[in-house]
Amino acid sequence: MAKEGAERAEETEQMIEKEGGREGAEGSLRAADAKEMRAVVLSGFGGLNKLRVCRRAMPEPQEGELKIRVKACGLNFIDLMVRQGNIDNPPKTPLVPGFECSGIVEALGDSVKGFEIGDRVMAFVNYNAWAEVVCTPVEFVYKIPDDMSFSEAAAFPMNFVTAYMMLFEVANLREGMSVLVHSAGGGVGQAVAQLCSTVPNVTVFGTASSFKHEAIKDSVTHLFDRNADYVQEVKRISTDGVDIVLDCLCGENTGKGLSLLKPLGTYILYGSSNMVTGETKSFFSFAKSWWQVEKVNPIKLYEENKVIAGFSLLNLLFKQNRGGLIKSVMDKLLNLYNNKKIKPVVDSLWALEEVKEAMQRIHDRGNIGKLILDVEKAPTPLVS
């Protein structure tokens, strides 16, 4: 009987391993299963209490994919909007959030070329980045320069590609132009400032919380408090306005940005952080913000010679199949990094278990640069 029981136990374990483990009575076996991983899971749309770290089945690479042992993950404002369900066509929950990470190649799917096991890489991921292991198509993966840390690599793709695409692909930034960027102390804002410095005589106007001014004053030509009347401040310095406006706020700032454009100037909307006013989605606040958006009159655009545009890197990558274009941009950016022209700014490192606190810091706009989830970091003990 003892022998028969041992054989049944072994058979049960083999079945669990084969089927990836099922919820229920075999939970203790699954916890010990080497094919599981830790991941941040969003159980439903809403507040910070919808996030928790739990164990998930480890993914395996499909054809054309790389399996990456994650070292660091980037946090972006879009992640707050995802948590609230404040985006178009959000995926079903439960889900693992996150769109960028860095780590080490652990396995290669069929037909993958150009990478080897052990390569240090950074990658875009269509969700699922906030985990110990991710799998993503090879076209979204890039090798990390030798002197770039994993935390810097996790801070690089979203911010710098977004900034570069808006400045050079959409707005055609050239010598002597002027740029207004909101949230100048954030990850994208700092990337914009650094990229503008690679072009001669570009004037950068920035808005940011006053407590950030001392830290970022050297990267921005003219810095204004985010709550001040920046329109009048800009016009006082440049009566004609600016050539490029980069708006991640939306709401009333849309009309203000358009009013500041010079003839042939370009306004680019790439976010709507004003829509996120509390921990959970407020339809009243959302409606109020949209009500403040100035209605765009096409005839007025034509008469004033102004350009209005939008930019979404995630849609460009995952819905509009522009991975090849993004790769060419990444090549240019890595060349700038290797020549010490740009460098990602990391605000702070957080354990996976501290994701709620990290998200709150972004919501409070307390960060200067990028917040990073460090997969190997232990949570900071609470001080009584």
Side-chain angles (χ1 to χ4, degrees):
M1 290 292 292
K3 180 179 179 181
E4 181 179 353
E7 290 175 347
R8 287 181 178 177
E10 182 179 358
E11 180 180 352
T12 300
E13 290 185 21
Q14 290 174 346
M15 289 177 62
I16 292 172
E17 181 176 355
K18 181 178 179 181
E19 297 179 12
R22 293 187 177 182
E23 300 291 338
E26 64 271 28
S28 60
L29 286 172
R30 292 183 70 249
D33 191 344
K35 292 190 176 181
E36 287 191 333
M37 64 176 183
R38 290 159 57 238
V40 176
V41 175
L42 180 67
S43 60
F45 299 119
L48 294 169
N49 64 330
K50 299 295 185 180
L51 291 165
R52 70 183 189 278
V53 176
C54 58
R55 301 194 71 83
R56 303 267 288 191
M58 187 182 297
E60 295 298 331
Q62 304 300 306
E63 182 175 0
E65 290 186 341
L66 289 173
K67 180 181 180 181
I68 301 169
R69 175 66 59 171
V70 177
K71 296 292 185 180
C73 322
L75 275 78
N76 299 281
F77 206 92
I78 184 68
D79 296 315
L80 273 69
M81 300 183 71
V82 167
R83 192 197 75 221
Q84 294 186 356
N86 226 343
I87 57 173
D88 286 334
N89 300 314
K92 293 182 180 179
T93 56
L95 63 86
V96 176
F99 298 102
E100 62 183 338
C101 65
S102 64
I104 298 173
V105 175
E106 195 167 83
L108 308 175
D110 292 340
S111 75
V112 170
K113 297 179 181 179
F115 291 90
E116 297 179 354
I117 293 174
D119 281 346
R120 300 170 71 250
V121 296
M122 52 187 160
F124 291 109
V125 189
N126 194 11
Y127 292 96
N128 299 307
W130 295 355
E132 290 182 314
V133 174
V134 301
C135 292
T136 193
V138 65
E139 66 176 315
F140 303 142
V141 183
Y142 319 92
K143 292 182 180 178
I144 299 174
D146 292 339
D147 60 344
M148 182 183 283
S149 68
F150 284 117
S151 58
E152 288 178 326
F156 195 84
M158 286 278 286
N159 290 349
F160 276 95
V161 172
T162 295
Y164 187 97
M165 292 289 293
M166 291 192 299
L167 289 172
F168 298 105
E169 298 289 336
V170 180
N172 193 22
L173 177 66
R174 299 184 303 281
E175 180 176 354
M177 281 188 166
S178 54
V179 179
L180 169 64
V181 58
H182 293 296
S183 298
V188 174
Q190 285 295 286
V192 165
Q194 290 185 28
L195 288 170
C196 285
S197 71
T198 67
V199 180
N201 301 318
V202 170
T203 302
V204 180
F205 297 89
T207 69
S209 300
S210 57
F211 73 89
K212 299 183 182 182
H213 287 199
E214 182 63 27
I216 67 174
K217 64 181 182 180
D218 293 337
S219 64
V220 179
T221 317
H222 302 287
L223 196 53
F224 312 120
D225 186 278
R226 64 186 301 268
N227 297 312
D229 184 359
Y230 63 86
V231 173
Q232 294 306 314
E233 290 293 324
V234 171
K235 287 185 175 180
R236 179 177 60 82
I237 298 167
S238 175
T239 55
D240 292 339
V242 297
D243 296 292
I244 301 169
V245 173
L246 305 178
D247 182 9
C248 61
L249 304 177
C250 199
E252 62 181 350
N253 293 280
T254 300
K256 292 179 179 179
L258 284 171
S259 72
L260 281 173
L261 281 184
K262 294 179 181 180
L264 302 181
T266 302
Y267 163 93
I268 305 174
L269 180 68
Y270 71 99
S272 52
S273 63
N274 278 340
M275 306 297 175
V276 180
T277 56
E279 185 181 334
T280 57
K281 181 165 66 174
S282 166
F283 288 102
F284 174 77
S285 297
F286 192 85
K288 180 182 177 182
S289 293
W290 272 118
W291 183 256
Q292 292 175 326
V293 176
E294 182 172 305
K295 306 302 181 289
V296 177
N297 184 338
I299 299 300
K300 190 175 180 180
L301 289 177
Y302 145 73
E303 291 175 343
E304 296 181 352
N305 283 298
K306 293 182 178 180
V307 178
I308 185 168
F311 182 78
S312 167
L313 176 57
L314 295 178
N315 284 345
L316 203 64
L317 276 169
F318 302 126
K319 293 183 179 181
Q320 296 159 353
N321 303 313
R322 293 299 192 272
L325 172 60
I326 302 305
K327 185 183 185 307
S328 69
V329 169
M330 279 293 290
D331 289 341
K332 295 173 184 176
L333 288 168
L334 289 173
N335 184 56
L336 288 171
Y337 176 86
N338 289 328
N339 288 317
K340 303 188 184 307
K341 299 288 188 181
I342 58 175
K343 183 179 177 65
V345 178
V346 175
D347 174 81
S348 49
L349 305 179
W350 305 75
L352 288 181
E353 291 79 5
E354 297 170 328
V355 64
K356 296 178 185 178
E357 292 85 350
M359 271 199 161
Q360 187 63 50
R361 182 168 173 81
I362 296 179
H363 185 275
D364 295 340
R365 293 172 170 81
N367 58 299
I368 298 175
K370 191 66 163 273
L371 276 77
I372 299 295
L373 292 179
D374 184 336
V375 175
E376 297 179 345
K377 183 181 183 297
T380 303
L382 294 176
V383 178
S384 59

